Amino acid sequence: MASSSSATGSGQPEVAFSSFMTEVKLIEKRDSSLTPKQQIERLIRPGCTYFNLNPYEVLQVDPSMEVPDIKKLYRRLSILVHPDKNMDDRERAQKAFDALSNAMKTLEDETSRKSILDTIEEAKQKTDFLLGEKRKQLKKDDKPTAIEEDDPLKYKETLHKNTVKLFADYAIRRKEIEEKEARIKKREREEEIKEEDKSKKAKEWQKDWEDGRDKRVHNWRDFSNHDTAKKKKKNRMAFKPPKPKLETR
């Protein structure tokens, strides 16, 4: 929840902020009393892939709430949307139940919870910075510096949009990194398979060479013996000129 200084922007009266807080509490009370069907619809509504990246929004709790207290609310919500309690809408109820379970698991992990809180704080700082820049530009243009986000409810809406967007940006970035790493691993594995196949073929060739050694030696000996015998036979069959006869007188 935004503080009075940041939410009121240009120093609206405390009564306005008090009214804002009252309205927010009424909204939270209304949301917490949603029927099972309404909770299911909330958790699987269009765009839920990005809305549900913020576990605090999924569980409808303030980031300042302690984990044990969040667990109590989680149990109530999970009972409402449990598939066994919504037999006529079991498939959608299961998706809603999974969204709640994943959100609770994220917040139970200290590292993940810290990362979530850091993102929420970053979104708030970014929102305040952008609104400050907006005021500066108006002042530079000699225009009134009052902006619509001076209305606490409008500020809350803008903060919510920026928070959702930041969670989505980080999710998309993580996915891109994971896909890039997966492609690198795939290429590396393909190279490993090529090397393994090359090594395997080399070993098979070497084995075949070794296994064929005796056969090659035997064939060479047969060839040598046959060649020697052939030469001897040729020598025996070679033409011999007749011996010259002495002339008689």
Side-chain angles (χ1 to χ4, degrees):
M1 189 66 64
S3 64
S4 59
S5 60
S6 61
T8 54
S10 58
Q12 291 186 343
E14 287 296 324
V15 64
F17 185 70
S18 176
S19 175
F20 161 66
M21 291 297 293
T22 300
E23 188 167 355
V24 168
K25 288 185 180 298
L26 288 173
I27 292 172
E28 291 175 344
K29 183 178 180 181
R30 180 203 66 196
D31 289 347
S32 65
S33 61
L34 292 177
T35 65
K37 295 295 183 186
Q38 290 171 325
Q39 287 288 2
I40 291 172
E41 189 62 36
R42 177 181 73 85
L43 291 165
I44 65 171
R45 66 194 184 281
C48 63
T49 301
Y50 294 119
F51 287 125
N52 292 352
L53 291 172
N54 183 354
Y56 288 103
E57 179 167 328
V58 173
L59 296 167
Q60 296 181 301
V61 296
D62 191 273
S64 62
M65 186 177 288
E66 297 294 330
V67 173
D69 295 327
I70 295 176
K71 278 186 178 181
K72 294 176 184 177
L73 294 175
Y74 159 72
R75 293 189 188 99
R76 295 175 194 170
L77 284 173
S78 62
I79 290 173
L80 283 178
V81 304
H82 197 284
D84 292 343
K85 300 289 184 180
N86 298 273
M87 297 299 291
D88 60 332
D89 199 10
R90 191 177 181 85
E91 184 177 346
R92 281 159 43 93
Q94 184 64 58
K95 292 179 180 178
F97 182 81
D98 291 342
L100 290 173
S101 298
N102 291 335
M104 190 67 248
K105 288 176 183 177
T106 300
L107 295 184
E108 285 180 315
D109 182 81
E110 186 175 351
T111 302
S112 298
R113 185 172 67 256
K114 184 179 183 304
S115 177
I116 295 296
L117 290 172
D118 287 344
T119 302
I120 292 173
E121 178 60 26
E122 182 182 348
K124 183 180 181 305
Q125 291 179 2
K126 183 177 181 179
T127 299
D128 291 343
F129 173 78
L130 291 175
L131 295 182
E133 291 297 301
K134 188 175 182 180
R135 289 191 182 92
K136 286 180 182 179
Q137 186 60 48
L138 288 171
K139 186 176 181 180
K140 184 178 179 181
D141 295 340
D142 268 340
K143 295 180 179 179
T145 57
I147 57 177
E148 59 180 350
E149 287 81 8
D150 288 336
D151 178 353
L153 288 176
K154 187 62 180 178
Y155 175 85
K156 185 173 184 290
E157 179 185 336
T158 301
L159 176 59
H160 177 264
K161 288 180 180 178
N162 288 339
T163 302
V164 172
K165 185 178 184 304
L166 190 59
F167 271 103
D169 288 344
Y170 279 143
I172 293 171
R173 195 177 306 172
R174 282 195 299 271
K175 185 177 180 180
E176 289 175 347
I177 292 173
E178 289 171 358
E179 289 176 347
K180 182 178 179 180
E181 290 177 346
R183 289 194 296 270
I184 292 173
K185 287 182 179 179
K186 183 180 179 181
R187 285 198 299 269
E188 290 177 346
R189 183 54 188 155
E190 288 174 349
E191 290 299 321
E192 288 177 1
I193 292 174
K194 287 181 181 179
E195 289 300 319
E196 289 171 359
D197 187 55
K198 184 178 179 181
S199 177
K200 182 180 178 181
K201 288 181 178 178
K203 289 179 180 179
E204 289 175 351
W205 184 88
Q206 185 65 29
K207 185 176 182 300
D208 291 342
W209 174 262
E210 295 292 337
D211 292 344
R213 177 178 295 174
D214 292 341
K215 184 177 180 180
R216 289 195 303 276
V217 171
H218 179 72
N219 289 342
W220 175 250
R221 286 175 179 170
D222 284 350
F223 173 77
S224 297
N225 293 336
H226 178 72
D227 189 54
T228 301
K230 187 176 180 181
K231 286 180 178 179
K232 288 181 179 179
K233 183 177 180 181
K234 183 178 180 181
N235 290 335
R236 287 198 302 268
M237 295 177 64
F239 173 75
K240 294 181 180 181
K243 293 181 178 180
K245 294 181 179 181
L246 294 175
E247 180 180 354
T248 56
R249 291 178 184 248

